[in-house]
Amino acid sequence: MGDAIVVTSGKGGVGKTTTSANVGTALALLGKKVCMVDTDIGLRNLDVVMGLENRIVYDLVDVAEGRCRLQQALVKDKRFEELYMLPAAQTKDKHDVSPEQVRDIVLELKKEFDFVIIDCPAGIEQGFRNAVAGADRAIVVTTPENAAVRDADRVIGLLEQSQITAKLVINRIRPAMLKTGDMLEIDEVCQVLAIDLLGIVPDDEKVIKSANAGEPTVMDPSSRAAIAYRNIARRILGDMVPLMPLDEKSAGMFKRFRKFLGIG
Amino acid sequence: MTDKQHITIKGVKDGLVFILDDRCEFSALLDELHYKLEKTHQQLLTGPLMHVNVKLGSRETTDDEKEQIKSVLRQQGNLLVQSIQSDSELQSLMGSNQQELKVMSGIIRSGQVVTHEGSLLLLGDLHPGGSIVCTGDIYVMGTLAGMAHAGSEGRMDVIIAASLLKPTQLRIADVISRPPEEWLTGDAAMEYAFLQEGVMQVDKTTQLFRMRREPLVYKGV
């Protein structure tokens, strides 16, 4: 029996889909059998980030309403043998499936996969209830902004009511702003939300670039965000991995020399 | 009638209320009641059937004395005694509620509301967006960062105390207040909010004894 993990945040635009795609891919990279489920019906994005948009035949609503078998709707990843995705429907909306239907689908998937990563839509309405219905644990994504932390707090409360334990991922950290004190400290966020920290992800332009290219960031080991997501995947598997240092790598000799001369 | 009147009769929506003075002799009260019913208020008090509620103020009465009042009123024929109440009874009714202190531990997160009849002691934090609504006092051993409403049914003498008081909003009875800059002392001291002449004030909890004036019995050598 596999493990179903819902990725949620409450607030939109903090990086739920990016986190789902990257954590899912990172787990596949570590040799696990993974299925990602997009529950953002009507506003599906996971397939775009994964670059699998043109391979979709059936979707989650088709499975829920019995128009196809679950196996038919699963889209196999182009990079990994054991990475699959169940896309959301684009033409329907969140009320076209019920939490019970999603729970049944997730239960079915758990029999076959090591991990089921559920990408949750923003908000706390029907879409959220659908996404949470089948989950065993949760990853709450937030950014170091007050509004995102507030929404994360709300969502953690709702998850606790459903008896789902949540762990925190702080996304889009800008080390330079942390240093000047213009951004919420990591410790501060953890203290306010009072849940375990699963990982921190620095802000990285490469994430946007690779998402546009339909290639998850984790594939590019030169990206700092990629390393962060790989660390998160290892922590999900139970490894003890220290938090990555946020300071930029100290510049090389040559760069420092150029800087010294004022031409760097 | 040369004396000060001991009985006030008021008409309310569903009948009459007899308010009896609680400082005079009981016998004087009975005499006046007889006098009023038979002499001065005779025209007023005859006619269709009327419900009567009797309020005794803070007078302590025996069942026998209550029965005497009832029988006097019954003589009139059209007065139906519904209740005879004294404040001390009311207070003991309410008092049991006020004394009830509920202790709960945990985090009240955004969107969650805890309501309680009586006072509440929270061992944990109240997050922004979360709220506590109590008819009595609110004590938070932790950070109070959300909304706290004490005395939600109108009590003005209640307080809101917290280890770290940095609320989004505080309410006591009908007074709503948000923290102005001067509240945030930044000290590590525990603080509490209270009403002073209808205005919300915040002070260190060590000053609370000045407001409450509860008798303290020190036992020691």
Side-chain angles (χ1 to χ4, degrees), chain B residues 22-37:
Chain B
D22 51 14
R23 300 236 169 83
C24 64
E25 288 285 332
F26 186 74
S27 57
L29 215 57
L30 276 184
D31 289 343
E32 199 188 325
L33 197 58
H34 268 295
Y35 185 80
K36 283 217 157 141
L37 291 178

Side-chain angles (χ1 to χ4, degrees), chain B residues 2 4-6 20 23 31 34 45 48 53 57-58 86 97 125 141 153-154 220-221:
Chain B
T2 48
K4 185 179 160 278
Q5 297 208 4
H6 298 309
L20 310 189
R23 300 236 169 83
D31 289 343
H34 268 295
L45 296 175
N53 292 302
S58 56
S86 68
N97 245 343
D125 293 348
M141 289 184 82
E153 281 170 15
V221 210

Side-chain angles (χ1 to χ4, degrees), chain A residues 193-218:
Chain A
L193 294 178
I195 57 170
D196 293 344
L197 183 65
L198 185 63
I200 52 174
V201 183
D203 198 26
D204 192 340
E205 286 173 8
K206 283 179 182 154
V207 174
I208 302 170
K209 195 175 142 198
S210 53
N212 286 340
E215 194 80 19
T217 322
V218 253

